[in-house]
Amino acid sequence: MTSPQVTEAPEEGYERGLGSRQVQMIAIGGAIGVGLFLGAGANIAKAGPSLIVMYALAGLIIFFIMRALGELLLYRPVSGSFAEYSREFLGPFFGFFTGWTYWLMWVVTGMAELTAAAIYVHYWFPAIPQWVTALVFLVVLFVANLISVKVFGEIEFWFSMVKVTALIGMIVIGLGVLTFGFSAAGGTATVSNLWEFDGFFPKGVGSSLMTLQGVMFAYLAVELVGVTAGESEDPEKTLPKAINTLPWRIALFYVGALTVILCVVKWTEFAPGVSPFVKAFAVIGIPAGAGIVNFVVLTAALSSCNSGMYSTGRMLRTLADNGEAPRFFSRLSTSKTPALGITVSVAFMGIGVVLNYIVPEKAFGYVTSVATAAGIWTWLMILISHVLYRRGVESGRLRASSFPAPGGSKCSYVAIAFLLFVTGLIAYDADSRVCLYVMAAWAAALAIGWAVLKNRNPQVADPREQQLEKVG
């Protein structure tokens, strides 16, 4: 049975083992990553205090994207999420392209995060070879993902809890320094640090805008909550709640934390390659501050890798169900997890551990820029699918969702324009431009793959009819 507003989620064979508590923390954790804990240092050096505005602006666009996704999820909650919506509203090729591109995004992210996690452990135990640590993390998270979705959800819950606690602690301590003037930073901590050193935009508006590509990388994975739709206990309640709390999460954890840090420590003291949180703890004089932040960043890296294993397995299964990947990826294990898809994805992540052993450090920058480009494509597909879905609702062809996006498709158009602008910034920047070349090669490879697939199985290119009644 279906209500007039909500299309019932199809049974995909997964265990609906993610409760509200876990979905909420997955959503929170997706908005807090290594991009904030480490990447913000380089961006502060480029933009000064104006970085706060860039995070707020990008956060608003991310909210538009997530509300668009939320409307689609409550129209038809499926584990394939945006790949399925691309297939439905733009055609089979776009579903194929989006599914494989999202898989690529998480595989390359997993490669980087595993090696990064090994480097963080090396901080405490320099005698242990980095490849050993990376391999241990790979195996542990792999086994956890195979056991059940509940284990994945519980691990992600506690990873997110560590990140949230660290950020709240930093904000509270920073406010204490500003209010009561205690610690070594008490004499220089002041709100006027936001504008006293060459103004709020010390290097110009153009330089601030160029940080948007790095800022958008920090927000990658917020869409992961959409992949959990097929395994949430009650998606009609948990998903809207998770999405609606996004604004305060961004306001508190990004805008709030950065504002406090830049009030406590003047922006000229930050440098690329150094976490702003490590710097702030050092200036305040907190014992073992660097070690605390190192643990938090390690948690963020492992959280990202854990999410990557989860989402790649589900996306491969969606592709297999549509005849766009080998059929064996559609099988579920006895614990109702896509074990084969997870295994193959983890194998590719493992190759990344070996590759990062011999590739120069600059490879990490390339990997993150490729992940950002793949993420922008995913977000664009969500927004365009939403615009087309709204047209279907307005014409009476499709059911209305119980969670409509504010402003209808207007906010989606704004977000599309913004993402295209960021893509232009990436093309303008010589260092990050390489990711567009990689994506062009990836697109060519997928186009060839699609041509071969159509030749072998012409039915794969036929638009699939959704089991929906017309309204009106």
Side-chain angles (χ1 to χ4, degrees):
M1 295 291 292
T2 59
S3 73
Q5 264 84 32
V6 183
T7 301
E8 190 173 280
E11 284 303 319
E12 302 173 282
Y14 291 120
E15 176 189 7
R16 289 194 176 271
L18 293 176
S20 176
R21 170 180 65 94
Q22 293 165 323
V23 172
Q24 291 297 318
M25 287 308 276
I26 288 170
I28 292 173
I32 307 170
V34 177
L36 172 63
F37 288 114
L38 282 180
N43 287 326
I44 290 172
K46 289 179 184 176
S50 64
L51 184 65
I52 297 168
V53 175
M54 297 302 109
Y55 270 105
L57 176 61
L60 177 64
I61 298 301
I62 291 296
F63 179 63
F64 291 165
I65 294 169
M66 290 305 294
R67 281 305 303 257
L69 178 59
E71 182 166 0
L72 292 169
L73 287 171
L74 269 294
Y75 145 71
R76 192 164 66 90
V78 287
S79 188
S81 191
F82 21 84
E84 280 293 293
Y85 304 134
S86 299
R87 181 174 292 105
E88 178 179 350
F89 296 109
L90 287 110
F93 172 73
F94 286 92
F96 168 81
F97 194 103
T98 301
W100 278 111
T101 300
Y102 196 64
W103 177 84
L104 172 72
M105 185 191 94
W106 276 114
V107 166
V108 296
T109 300
M111 289 179 184
E113 301 290 13
L114 269 175
T115 308
I119 292 170
Y120 302 145
V121 170
H122 194 70
Y123 172 85
W124 291 300
F125 305 103
I128 300 177
Q130 289 183 19
W131 71 268
V132 173
T133 311
L135 184 61
V136 169
F137 286 143
L138 185 72
V139 172
V140 170
L141 293 177
F142 171 55
V143 172
N145 270 271
L146 290 185
I147 294 173
S148 75
V149 69
K150 288 183 179 178
V151 174
F152 158 78
E154 202 60 31
I155 290 173
E156 202 57 30
F157 174 85
W158 289 107
F159 279 162
S160 296
M161 185 66 77
V162 169
K163 293 185 284 187
V164 168
T165 302
L167 280 173
I168 291 176
M170 179 67 245
I171 292 170
V172 170
I173 291 169
L175 289 174
V177 172
L178 283 168
T179 305
F180 302 107
F182 62 78
S183 87
T188 57
T190 171
V191 176
S192 63
N193 281 339
L194 294 177
W195 60 81
E196 274 193 353
F197 300 93
D198 297 324
F200 192 71
F201 289 87
K203 298 192 175 181
V205 175
S207 183
S208 299
L209 290 174
M210 288 303 295
T211 65
L212 281 174
Q213 50 188 303
V215 169
M216 296 307 288
F217 173 73
Y219 285 122
L220 283 184
V222 291
E223 76 291 327
L224 181 66
V225 70
V227 183
T228 69
E231 293 169 274
S232 301
E233 288 178 355
D234 189 355
E236 290 185 26
K237 290 183 179 178
T238 57
L239 295 178
K241 186 177 179 183
I243 292 169
N244 277 335
T245 56
L246 189 66
W248 72 258
R249 279 185 266 130
I250 290 173
L252 177 64
F253 298 131
Y254 280 91
V255 178
L258 281 174
T259 301
V260 170
I261 284 176
L262 289 169
C263 287
V264 172
V265 184
K266 56 187 179 182
W267 75 269
T268 53
E269 295 188 27
F270 295 98
V274 178
S275 168
F277 293 87
V278 171
K279 180 66 179 178
F281 278 180
V283 171
I284 292 171
I286 297 175
I292 293 170
V293 174
N294 195 69
F295 174 71
V296 174
V297 176
L298 169 64
T299 302
L302 293 177
S303 171
S304 180
C305 192
N306 188 43
S307 298
M309 291 182 187
Y310 171 85
S311 58
T312 50
R314 272 70 184 172
M315 201 55 74
L316 281 181
R317 186 176 185 233
T318 297
L319 289 163
D321 285 342
N322 289 285
E324 297 164 352
R327 185 62 62 184
F328 56 75
F329 284 133
S330 64
R331 299 175 194 159
L332 291 177
S333 66
T334 53
S335 59
K336 297 185 178 180
T337 61
L340 285 172
I342 294 172
T343 303
V344 170
S345 300
V346 167
F348 276 95
M349 291 180 191
I351 293 172
V353 175
V354 178
L355 289 176
N356 279 298
Y357 209 53
I358 56 175
V359 172
E361 231 177 272
K362 201 167 184 179
F364 284 102
Y366 293 151
V367 166
T368 54
S369 64
V370 169
T372 303
I376 287 174
W377 172 270
T378 300
W379 292 334
L380 281 171
M381 290 300 98
I382 292 171
L383 294 165
I384 295 171
S385 296
H386 178 249
V387 169
L388 296 175
Y389 164 70
R390 291 292 305 184
R391 288 181 186 174
V393 171
E394 289 163 6
S395 67
R397 291 185 294 105
L398 297 175
R399 295 179 184 275
S401 170
S402 61
F403 188 48
S409 56
K410 295 184 183 68
C411 291
S412 290
Y413 280 118
V414 172
I416 289 169
F418 181 85
L419 292 179
L420 293 176
F421 175 68
V422 173
T423 304
L425 293 177
I426 292 173
Y428 181 77
D429 185 3
D431 288 335
S432 60
R433 191 183 303 149
V434 65
C435 76
L436 298 182
Y437 302 142
V438 173
M439 288 303 295
W442 174 251
L446 286 182
I448 293 169
W450 179 251
V452 172
L453 192 64
K454 274 203 307 181
N455 187 52
R456 290 182 178 178
N457 181 17
Q459 289 182 337
V460 77
D462 294 336
R464 195 174 61 187
E465 291 292 330
Q466 298 300 330
Q467 299 302 312
L468 299 172
E469 300 173 12
K470 287 188 176 181
V471 179

